[in-house]
Amino acid sequence: MLIACSIAYCKPISAQVNYNSEQNKIERIWKEKRGLYFNMYSNSFFKNNEYFLNTASGYTLFGSQNIPTIIYKPYKNLFVQAGMYLKKDFGTEGFVKTAPYYLISLQKNGYSLSLGNIKSNVGHRMYDPMFAYERLMSHNLEEGLSLKVNRKRIYSELWINWETQQYWLSDFNEQFTFGNNTNVSLFKNNNFKLALPIQLLAIHSGGQLDTSGLPTSTIVNASVGIDFTREFDRAASINMVNANFNYLIYKDLSENAGLPYTNGDAIYANLNIGFLKNFRGSLSYWQSNQFIAPKGDILYQSISHNPGKMNYFEPKRQLIQLGIAYQKRIAKNANISVLAQPFYDFQNQRVDYSYSLFLSFQPNIRLFKNIP
């Protein structure tokens, strides 16, 4: 995966998956006038992973997520959003998750601060090996704080997802994830961009109020790379070429997380092409040694996520991945995406694949204007 960026706008493109059309686009609210709005985010998804690896077995994600909310925007630079999160996994009775949804956000001059259900998963624009894009379907809600800078030469987000709150005499650890994604423009003209992407993810489990006796652990993943983008006429057969090269690390800072390795590293290289009007193609190479990212996609890990081989370890991983995506706006505020992602695993010496279908709809309807 990569994040192909202009400084004003970043579009995720991946040899595995491209979920740009399916994410919850709260930024569009800043373009709206003062007033009271009804907003509906709906994303129906089908993703089938045909994996037969020692470290990963196949599974299917099939369902729908819906977030109906009311947005109160009293000022140009401030809005409050409240509603409900409803997730339905097909093949089950009722909703698998319901939760309140709340967000307050403030922005001015390219800076923004959000508290509550912050823009999550793909909205963080992290690399797939570090922070899986499948979290769009499996872990959509995040609660915490997001601080963003979106200026001419830099895009950066600093965020905290507070996952488990600890109380006095709790019998469990508090848990949270801290992340940062920064993209610095080194050179830019009308159709050429050279950027420095830097990413950091820290997963912490600990606290001082519990009686569990569980160890404190902090696991860190980080990445630094170079990113090149060349854009062409949008009417051309090939309208965009992007390439990047990244070096990633894994470190168990406390060395007591119970994982088989305490440090590791990887290289991640991507070539991406936009062609025709609605197609994207990507070719990626992954090579790692003892790399673990607890929230990353399972294909890249040196530990097993195969339920039949949970004690199996594969310190060295090597993959070549191909991604083809078709994305089209089929109506106002409605998008459809079809994706296919075959890959070759050198250690397992086999070709596996996944394919996906998404239908998303996000209308924003003004109910009243000029309200106090």
Side-chain angles (χ1 to χ4, degrees):
M1 191 282 306
L2 73 105
I3 305 240
C5 287
S6 68
I7 294 304
Y9 173 72
C10 291
K11 184 172 185 178
I13 303 170
S14 171
Q16 272 200 292
V17 69
N18 180 336
Y19 290 149
N20 182 65
S21 297
E22 290 71 48
Q23 61 180 297
N24 189 358
K25 297 181 174 66
I26 63 172
E27 289 88 352
R28 57 188 293 189
I29 299 170
W30 296 123
K31 299 179 181 180
E32 303 284 6
K33 298 178 181 179
R34 293 173 55 204
L36 189 70
Y37 295 83
F38 172 75
N39 183 276
M40 179 67 182
Y41 168 71
S42 178
N43 181 34
S44 296
F45 56 86
F46 172 75
K47 186 171 191 288
N48 184 37
N49 298 323
E50 292 292 331
Y51 302 159
F52 298 89
L53 309 177
N54 290 317
T55 56
S57 59
Y59 55 93
T60 300
L61 300 170
F62 197 10
S64 181
Q65 299 178 101
N66 298 276
I67 309 176
T69 60
I70 295 295
I71 298 172
Y72 174 47
K73 189 178 181 184
Y75 308 107
K76 177 181 178 181
N77 300 317
L78 173 71
F79 74 82
V80 180
Q81 185 176 13
M84 183 68 67
Y85 171 80
L86 305 168
K87 183 182 180 185
K88 170 65 177 174
D89 283 346
F90 299 159
T92 63
E93 294 185 4
F95 292 106
V96 295
K97 184 169 183 176
T98 61
Y101 187 93
Y102 169 80
L103 177 69
I104 182 169
S105 191
L106 173 70
Q107 72 90 24
K108 190 172 184 179
N109 298 329
Y111 300 91
S112 65
L113 172 65
S114 299
L115 288 163
N117 291 111
I118 59 175
K119 191 171 181 181
S120 57
N121 43 77
V122 296
H124 297 310
R125 307 176 182 179
M126 304 289 286
Y127 288 130
D128 207 21
M130 289 174 54
F131 200 73
Y133 270 28
E134 278 192 2
R135 296 179 68 84
L136 171 70
M137 294 163 276
S138 61
H139 297 80
N140 189 284
L141 286 186
E142 293 182 16
E143 298 176 333
L145 175 150
S146 172
L147 179 62
K148 292 183 180 180
V149 178
N150 194 352
R151 303 285 288 179
K152 184 177 180 180
R153 292 292 180 179
I154 185 171
Y155 171 87
S156 182
E157 182 193 19
L158 182 71
W159 53 274
I160 298 175
N161 177 25
W162 204 266
E163 296 158 297
T164 303
Q165 173 65 48
Q166 189 181 81
Y167 297 96
W168 181 259
L169 300 180
S170 295
D171 60 354
F172 50 83
N173 281 358
E174 74 177 11
Q175 297 180 357
F176 64 86
T177 298
F178 168 88
N180 178 255
N181 177 14
T182 297
N183 190 283
V184 180
S185 176
L186 302 177
F187 177 81
K188 178 183 177 182
N189 61 20
N190 292 335
N191 53 21
F192 173 81
K193 306 176 186 73
L194 184 66
L196 177 70
I198 303 170
Q199 299 187 3
L200 173 68
L201 197 69
I203 302 165
H204 178 75
S205 177
Q208 297 174 286
L209 301 178
D210 65 289
T211 60
S212 66
L214 295 172
T216 296
S217 68
T218 302
I219 297 171
V220 172
N221 295 117
S223 171
V224 62
I226 193 75
D227 187 284
F228 159 83
T229 302
R230 177 72 162 86
E231 296 179 348
F232 303 93
D233 191 299
R234 295 185 64 181
S237 298
I238 296 178
N239 50 64
M240 184 275 297
V241 174
N242 175 278
N244 69 63
F245 180 88
N246 307 277
Y247 176 70
L248 293 80
I249 64 168
Y250 147 71
K251 178 66 178 177
D252 179 1
L253 296 182
S254 57
E255 299 188 358
N256 60 6
L259 297 171
Y261 317 114
T262 58
N263 58 78
D265 60 0
I267 58 173
Y268 192 36
N270 303 271
L271 174 64
N272 305 271
I273 298 175
F275 61 99
L276 302 179
K277 186 176 180 181
N278 299 301
F279 287 88
R280 293 290 184 270
S282 298
L283 181 66
S284 292
Y285 176 75
W286 171 264
Q287 182 176 317
S288 64
N289 180 44
Q290 298 182 359
F291 184 84
I292 300 174
K295 297 187 183 298
D297 192 282
I298 64 175
L299 290 180
Y300 304 96
Q301 312 302 316
S302 289
I303 57 176
S304 176
H305 291 79
N306 185 330
K309 298 181 179 181
M310 291 303 293
N311 294 322
Y312 176 84
F313 307 123
E314 202 165 272
K316 296 186 181 298
R317 301 281 293 134
Q318 189 178 15
L319 303 171
I320 289 182
Q321 305 165 303
L322 176 67
I324 300 293
Y326 173 80
Q327 296 181 318
K328 183 176 177 61
R329 176 176 292 182
I330 55 176
K332 184 179 180 180
N333 302 316
N335 297 277
I336 189 170
S337 301
V338 181
L339 306 103
Q341 305 99 34
F343 65 91
Y344 179 73
D345 185 304
F346 287 85
Q347 276 66 34
N348 292 272
Q349 297 185 344
R350 60 174 296 117
V351 175
D352 284 344
Y353 60 92
S354 66
Y355 51 88
S356 312
L357 172 67
F358 299 90
L359 180 61
S360 61
F361 181 53
Q362 190 174 6
N364 195 50
I365 302 170
R366 193 178 190 183
L367 304 176
F368 300 100
K369 63 180 180 178
N370 298 326
I371 60 176

